[in-house]
Amino acid sequence: MLYLVLGTVFGFILSRSGAADYDFIQAMFLFQSTQLYGIIGTAVLVTAPGLWLLKRRGRTIAGRPLAIERKAFTRGTLVGGLLFGVGWSMAGMCPGPMFVNIGEGKLYALAALAGALTGAGLLGAVYPRLQRPLTLPPITVGTGEG
Amino acid sequence: MTLILHDLAPMHWALAGAGIAAVTLVLLWVGNRRLGISTGFEDLCSLALPLPYFRRGSLLGARRWRLPFLAGLVLGGALSALVGGGWAPTWDLGMFDRIVQWGPAGKLAWMFAGGLLIGFGTRLAGGCTSGHGIFGLSNLEAPSLVSTLGFMGSGAVTTHLVYRVLFG
């Protein structure tokens, strides 16, 4: 329930702020509007000190140790980022807004999601072959208790 | 400049940014979860594809929180439309319609291709705007800076190619 509520709030904000709007995304990439830069900048500037405080405290509200796994750098970090950027520009939505746009009733977003799932599935299929050349981490098959 | 959605005026960027930060921090403080969306594509793939990549322990364990979170995004979008003027399916794509002028079939193909690059690229990079751009940068992680500069750069180049060269 917590995650459904947080997701709903997040989705509403993305929808109303232009972060899930094709025109605002293109205006951002064309440097014609500062709206999206303002949103991302503010989010980072507010999250950063909040994160710092949480890490200093070291525990969640329930007292459990904070688990923040830092992302590793691989060649895939840059290559993947570049590919993602091309796709983001084309579709006018990044992953979160894809789901928001579907909720809003934008039918074409379903095609973007279908493409994204196909792309993720494709990566899963070719991952073993990309592992060494792109210095990707090994696959650890698990029971789902992580 | 207004939203495609019912021509609404956008929420102020500072309010939106602060709201996103609040969601990010609550997600961590209460749920002990790091904000990230594109792993959701893998969560969804893991429901159908038996490949070893989709049986990773860290992935299977995350489905319990991320799938409801993604459902919330859909719900948030629906609520936004409902209270903004009513929900209705639409093909409206703003400046793409005005400048590129492709019909539904062309839009679907273009969106699918864009989505394909998003799905493959974000998984290869290990994150997207939320995981790298918001959380990663806030956590001062170098890989997130590299990835963010990468996707912002290639995004800008692509948009300029489409709207300044191909259809300009």
Side-chain angles (χ1 to χ4, degrees):
Chain A
M1 182 56 64
L2 166 72
Y3 303 115
L4 183 66
V5 171
L6 285 177
T8 302
V9 171
F10 191 37
F12 190 91
I13 292 172
L14 292 177
S15 174
R16 285 310 181 84
S17 64
D21 186 277
Y22 183 87
D23 286 351
F24 275 87
I25 297 301
Q26 304 311 326
M28 170 184 74
F29 284 135
L30 289 167
F31 310 116
Q32 291 173 342
S33 166
T34 55
Q35 175 77 356
L36 272 292
Y37 294 112
I39 293 169
I40 295 173
T42 302
V44 172
L45 286 177
V46 177
T47 299
L51 249 187
W52 182 83
L53 284 172
L54 283 181
K55 285 158 76 176
R56 216 167 95 93
R57 193 181 118 99
R59 295 191 176 271
T60 66
I61 192 171
R64 281 173 288 138
L66 272 188
I68 302 179
E69 186 182 346
R70 294 176 73 88
K71 292 194 188 266
F73 181 81
T74 69
R75 290 189 192 122
T77 303
L78 180 58
V79 173
L82 293 172
L83 290 176
F84 163 45
V86 175
W88 186 10
S89 165
M90 289 175 68
M93 54 188 110
C94 56
M98 218 175 264
F99 294 95
V100 174
N101 280 337
I102 288 170
E104 290 174 345
K106 291 168 176 166
L107 297 177
Y108 47 80
L110 291 168
L113 178 58
L117 292 176
T118 302
L122 185 63
L123 178 68
V126 303
Y127 192 88
R129 266 167 286 171
L130 295 180
Q131 210 168 330
R132 183 177 297 183
L134 292 180
T135 67
L136 303 176
I139 293 174
T140 306
V141 176
T143 60
E145 296 305 317
Chain B
M1 189 172 171
T2 57
L3 302 177
I4 291 173
L5 185 72
H6 299 306
D7 261 335
L8 296 165
M11 183 188 293
H12 193 277
W13 52 265
L15 180 60
I20 290 170
V23 168
T24 303
L25 293 169
V26 170
L27 187 62
L28 182 62
W29 189 36
V30 181
N32 211 356
R33 307 296 181 180
R34 177 185 173 130
L35 178 73
I37 306 292
S38 58
T39 308
F41 298 141
E42 293 178 359
D43 288 321
L44 291 169
C45 285
S46 74
L47 299 174
L49 300 174
L51 298 166
Y53 184 74
F54 298 115
R55 308 316 296 172
R56 292 168 8 248
S58 59
L59 184 69
L60 300 181
R63 286 190 305 203
R64 288 188 302 257
W65 80 267
R66 212 187 312 267
L67 293 182
F69 192 77
L70 297 182
L73 293 180
V74 176
L75 188 57
L79 280 175
S80 175
L82 274 172
V83 304
W87 189 93
T90 179
W91 287 98
D92 192 355
L93 193 51
M95 71 187 286
F96 189 94
D97 291 338
R98 292 192 299 275
I99 297 173
V100 180
Q101 295 175 8
W102 288 359
K107 275 184 203 175
L108 288 176
W110 180 261
M111 285 290 154
F112 185 90
L116 194 73
L117 290 169
I118 291 171
F120 192 93
T122 55
R123 294 299 74 227
L124 186 56
C128 62
T129 321
S130 298
H132 274 312
I134 305 291
F135 197 101
L137 291 185
S138 298
N139 204 30
L140 308 179
E141 296 178 38
S144 289
L145 181 60
V146 169
S147 191
T148 299
L149 290 176
F151 61 71
M152 293 301 289
S154 64
V157 168
T158 304
T159 289
H160 276 84
L161 276 176
V162 172
Y163 287 105
R164 292 281 185 262
V165 180
L166 295 176
F167 296 97

